[in-house]
Amino acid sequence: MPTIEETHIVNRERVQPGDANNYESAHGGIVMKWMDEFGAMSAMRAARESCVTAQMSRVDFERPIPIGDNARIESYAYATGRTSVRVHIEVARENPHTGETERTTSAYATFVAIDEGKPTPVPELTAESEHSKRLRERALEDEP
């Protein structure tokens, strides 16, 4: 059975001018694309199958990410259904010189495991380590 920790991904995207809106910060649609891609990676690790996005709820844009900063994307699966995986995704702006971060965006998403074009069962997700338990608790606290 997969663990929450195995699904935990932290990655970065550098915000370039082509990623920006008229206010010289990351375009919300670009940030959502990154969130969807990394969320799907976490879901696939949990499902052990390819996954598609079923829904994304409560995308909260709290502050901008300026051109030149990094978008630090963190995602992890925290619960499974019969064929679905629930994923928590957070984005922070990161100063590339100091590593200082500030939360900018968060969301919850549900992905469905697919095999040969049809939903397929997923294994139970476990939280064995203290880190996994903290991640699950963090997700469940704010889950819509």
Side-chain angles (χ1 to χ4, degrees):
M1 284 188 282
T3 67
I4 289 172
E5 202 160 4
E6 291 171 344
T7 73
H8 188 213
I9 295 171
V10 178
N11 210 337
R12 288 153 181 81
E13 293 283 344
R14 181 78 186 258
V15 178
Q16 301 289 338
D19 302 321
N21 58 27
N22 294 341
Y23 302 102
E24 298 184 353
S25 61
H27 187 284
I30 298 289
V31 173
M32 288 179 67
K33 175 182 178 286
W34 293 334
M35 294 170 78
D36 186 49
E37 289 171 349
F38 291 109
M41 289 178 206
S42 291
M44 287 187 271
R45 286 185 181 180
R48 306 290 199 244
E49 297 282 351
S50 293
C51 291
V52 296
T53 309
Q55 66 90 20
M56 190 175 284
S57 62
R58 227 181 93 189
V59 179
D60 297 320
F61 292 97
E62 300 167 19
R63 59 190 50 83
I65 307 171
I67 292 172
D69 276 6
N70 298 326
R72 180 187 181 276
I73 302 111
E74 177 181 8
S75 67
Y76 57 90
Y78 64 94
T80 55
R82 192 177 69 75
T83 62
S84 63
V85 180
R86 296 193 332 250
V87 177
H88 184 224
I89 309 159
E90 288 190 3
V91 181
R93 61 154 285 284
E94 181 182 71
N95 182 307
H97 305 290
T98 66
E100 177 187 345
T101 63
E102 181 179 30
R103 182 173 143 159
T104 63
T105 316
S106 63
Y108 288 83
T110 303
F111 296 86
V112 174
I114 300 292
D115 185 31
E116 296 184 18
K118 296 186 180 182
T120 189
V122 299
E124 184 180 332
L125 192 60
T126 62
E128 296 171 359
S129 71
E130 287 304 312
H131 184 240
S132 289
K133 290 174 185 172
R134 280 193 307 274
L135 289 172
R136 177 178 277 166
E137 287 170 13
R138 187 170 89 188
L140 291 172
E141 281 176 8
D142 293 329
E143 182 183 45

